[in-house]
Amino acid sequence: MSKHKQTLGIEVEENAHRLETLQIHNMTHIDAEVLIIGGGIAGVSTAYHLASYGYEVTLLERGNLASQASGVNAGTMWPSGWGIVPDLPSTLTMGSLEMFKTLQFDLGYNFEFRQSGALKVIQTEEEYEFCRTLLLELKTKGYCVELLTTREAQSIEPELSSELLGCMYYPLGASVHPAKATYAFASAAQQRGVRILTNHEVIALEYLSDKTYRVYTPLTIFHTGMLVIAAGSWCRPIGLMLGLDIPVIPVRAQMWSTERVPIRLFHVIGAVESALEWYKDPSNRYGTPPELTHKGKVRLTRHLYGRQTHDGEIIIGGDRQLADANIPDRSGIEVNRNHAIEVLPFLEELPIKRTWAAWMPFTPSLEPIIGKIPQRDNLYIIAGIYTVGFERSPMAGKLLADHIHNIERPHILSEADPARQVRAAS
Ligand SMILES: Cc1cc2nc3c(=O)[nH]c(=O)nc-3n(C[C@H](O)[C@H](O)[C@H](O)COP(=O)(O)OP(=O)(O)OC[C@H]3O[C@@H](n4cnc5c(N)ncnc54)[C@H](O)[C@@H]3O)c2cc1C
């Protein structure tokens, strides 16, 4: 038996053991029409949209809201328009962009949304040629992206290095404060009646003969007619509690920041280097598991993204690796900082103030999993939106709520159909 299969077996047994040993008669019982597991952006958006349809929703979060990826990500968005024929990525990103605008400008929440535009720097001739080809393809599909000379880029982002060969410019690029944005969705959901219970870790699940679920936390048992898994990088252990193998792999992403400085950066910033590497060798991108910047300990490419926050910190991120702990790897941070200095030379003057890491929920295919899980009744999932999960989950939550409410799956979600990826655990 493979190590993987053994692990699945042990975790399924553990759920059964917990069910046997829980002191059920001492526990509080609560009924919920819909129960959502996970208080990140995916869970709170789904809760908000289901409540807007009139469902009575309870959301359980193990720690605090936004305590994982949704609270500590870079908050960058790289929209390039709907395109002539909107596909799933453009629908998720553009739909989410509109929702962020609605929440901030129409409903009055402040999570520092700013449509600043975004720039991806070009550092080599090969990257430049790649961008020219890419631009042609994107323009044909109706996307809003430009190729700027270094001078043009510097005129809107003066701190960019003169050594660059140019920039891909995304005029629709934007950013938010991720924790504040997650709390804004949660607060809007609560105003529509959603019950949010933090410090409620789901420790066991039971699928009952009447196609409903019992959901166990240490002190309370919930009974629900509909269960939504929105547990980010922890979807796999949740699935195993129901005998399902949900292929979500936690990939560590790490970031660092400078101290607060007066505003010197106006756009969301990135670099083309990694995009070119992944384009050249799609096996790096679609391989299993998705180690994007490294294969084992060997570096494949340098990845770079970042921005200056409303408070003045410059936050930069890069490496994406499989790892045992969400502790930043210092040498990777140094590589990332040196890359950032190549792009923005003034960063050399600014020491690293803090570093952090968290888990991104990847699937081996890089396809998200959004919709009804076919192996059980009344079971839904929203997961696996990997490195773009913040810019895409608000709309993913709306589409999932539409799916639950209308029963029929929105056509655009076909490629995210859980039937393509979720299997029975064996
Ligand atoms: C460093 C970093 C930078 C990133 N930068 C960007 C970016 O710039 N732009 C972008 O679009 N995306 C970015 N991402 C990706 C994005 O943050 C994620 O894809 C997104 O936040 C995932 O949201 P989620 O709600 O699915 O998962 P999470 O935010 O991880 O939320 C899942 C929640 O489920 C809870 N949970 C798990 N198990 C249980 C249980 N048993 N019981 C109860 N609750 C449970 C967890 O505690 C957690 O709060 C970044 C990620 C990282 C880590």
Side-chain angles (χ1 to χ4, degrees):
M1 200 192 294
S2 72
K3 188 172 170 233
H4 167 67
K5 281 200 170 160
Q6 277 174 11
T7 317
L8 294 190
I10 287 165
E11 293 189 42
V12 174
E13 273 171 28
E14 203 167 290
N15 185 61
H17 177 68
R18 282 189 191 143
L19 288 175
E20 273 170 27
T21 51
L22 280 166
Q23 302 287 313
I24 289 170
H25 50 280
N26 287 338
M27 296 169 79
T28 311
H29 290 247
I30 294 180
D31 285 324
E33 185 181 13
V34 184
L35 190 139
I36 299 175
I37 304 173
I41 188 72
V44 295
S45 170
T46 308
Y48 169 72
H49 289 103
L50 280 172
S52 304
Y53 276 125
Y55 289 88
E56 182 261 304
V57 181
T58 297
L59 182 149
L60 303 182
E61 162 55 45
R62 181 177 56 185
N64 288 321
L65 291 177
S67 50
Q68 298 293 333
S70 296
V72 298
N73 66 71
T76 62
M77 303 180 67
W78 295 83
S80 50
W82 293 90
I84 294 165
V85 183
D87 56 9
L88 182 60
S90 74
T91 301
L92 294 182
T93 297
M94 292 304 290
S96 299
L97 185 69
E98 285 311 311
M99 275 174 211
F100 283 128
K101 287 185 193 173
T102 302
L103 239 65
Q104 169 126 347
F105 302 117
D106 303 336
L107 300 181
Y109 293 96
N110 183 1
F111 43 87
E112 299 164 19
F113 173 87
R114 201 159 80 92
Q115 196 154 19
S116 56
L119 291 161
K120 237 176 223 181
V121 303
I122 301 169
Q123 294 179 276
T124 65
E125 291 292 345
E126 193 185 9
E127 288 172 21
Y128 194 84
E129 279 316 306
F130 164 64
C131 286
R132 273 163 49 110
T133 313
L134 188 66
L135 188 77
L136 222 60
E137 194 184 307
L138 293 174
K139 288 268 186 207
T140 314
K141 290 182 177 167
Y143 292 114
C144 177
V145 187
E146 301 295 334
L147 189 53
L148 303 186
T149 62
T150 303
R151 193 160 176 268
E152 285 166 337
Q154 282 176 316
S155 71
I156 56 172
E157 193 61 71
E159 296 284 0
L160 286 174
S161 164
S162 301
E163 304 290 310
L164 302 175
L165 301 191
C167 278
M168 287 285 271
Y169 177 43
Y170 298 75
L172 301 178
S175 63
V176 295
H177 185 301
K180 288 184 184 176
T182 306
Y183 272 91
F185 269 101
S187 166
Q190 279 175 318
Q191 287 192 5
R192 283 164 176 70
V194 174
R195 172 168 46 193
I196 294 182
L197 300 173
T198 53
N199 299 310
H200 276 67
E201 178 175 10
V202 173
I203 53 169
L205 289 171
E206 214 177 350
Y207 181 52
L208 305 174
S209 55
D210 64 354
K211 300 174 177 170
T212 61
Y213 295 85
R214 271 205 209 105
V215 179
Y216 296 81
T217 64
L219 299 177
T220 310
I221 301 175
F222 297 83
H223 179 238
T224 185
M226 199 177 299
L227 185 62
V228 178
I229 303 173
S233 293
W234 297 270
C235 286
R236 185 168 227 169
I238 296 287
L240 290 171
M241 293 179 192
L242 293 168
L244 298 171
D245 184 8
I246 300 173
V248 171
I249 303 168
V251 172
R252 185 187 65 191
Q254 55 184 31
M255 300 193 66
W256 57 278
S257 78
T258 66
E259 62 192 328
R260 295 173 182 186
V261 289
I263 295 300
R264 291 177 80 165
L265 263 190
F266 300 96
H267 296 78
V268 168
I269 301 287
V272 171
E273 181 174 314
S274 48
L276 171 61
E277 282 311 308
W278 297 330
Y279 177 83
K280 280 198 298 196
D281 183 0
S283 72
N284 290 338
R285 197 158 192 222
Y286 299 108
T288 309
E291 293 185 282
L292 294 177
T293 53
H294 296 70
K295 264 227 170 5
K297 292 205 182 320
V298 180
R299 178 173 293 280
L300 297 170
T301 184
R302 301 180 304 173
H303 186 57
L304 182 79
Y305 55 92
R307 66 189 177 95
Q308 186 163 20
T309 67
H310 191 259
D311 289 343
E313 266 187 317
I314 294 169
I315 59 171
I316 307 274
D319 287 354
R320 298 160 176 177
Q321 272 179 285
L322 294 179
D324 293 333
N326 62 347
I327 299 165
D329 165 51
R330 193 76 207 180
S331 61
I333 295 274
E334 269 314 310
V335 170
N336 189 232
R337 179 166 182 264
N338 290 336
H339 192 185
I341 291 169
E342 286 171 23
V343 175
L344 296 160
F346 79 95
L347 287 176
E348 181 130 45
E349 305 152 20
L350 300 175
I352 293 173
K353 179 83 178 169
R354 62 188 180 100
T355 62
W356 66 96
W359 304 111
M360 289 180 170
F362 271 75
T363 61
S365 62
L366 281 192
E367 283 175 355
I369 313 177
I370 309 163
K372 184 178 181 319
I373 296 184
Q375 289 89 346
R376 303 282 181 275
D377 284 295
N378 305 317
L379 181 63
Y380 293 82
I381 182 166
I382 169 168
I385 321 185
Y386 54 101
T387 77
V388 280
F390 209 81
E391 70 169 51
R392 293 187 184 169
S393 288
M395 184 62 174
K398 180 184 184 319
L399 289 172
L400 183 61
D402 293 348
H403 184 6
I404 290 172
H405 184 64
N406 302 322
I407 303 185
E408 205 159 305
R409 181 185 66 209
H411 178 67
I412 195 83
L413 284 184
S414 341
E415 69 190 73
D417 186 352
R420 293 160 67 117
Q421 303 197 59
V422 178
R423 300 280 173 265
S426 52

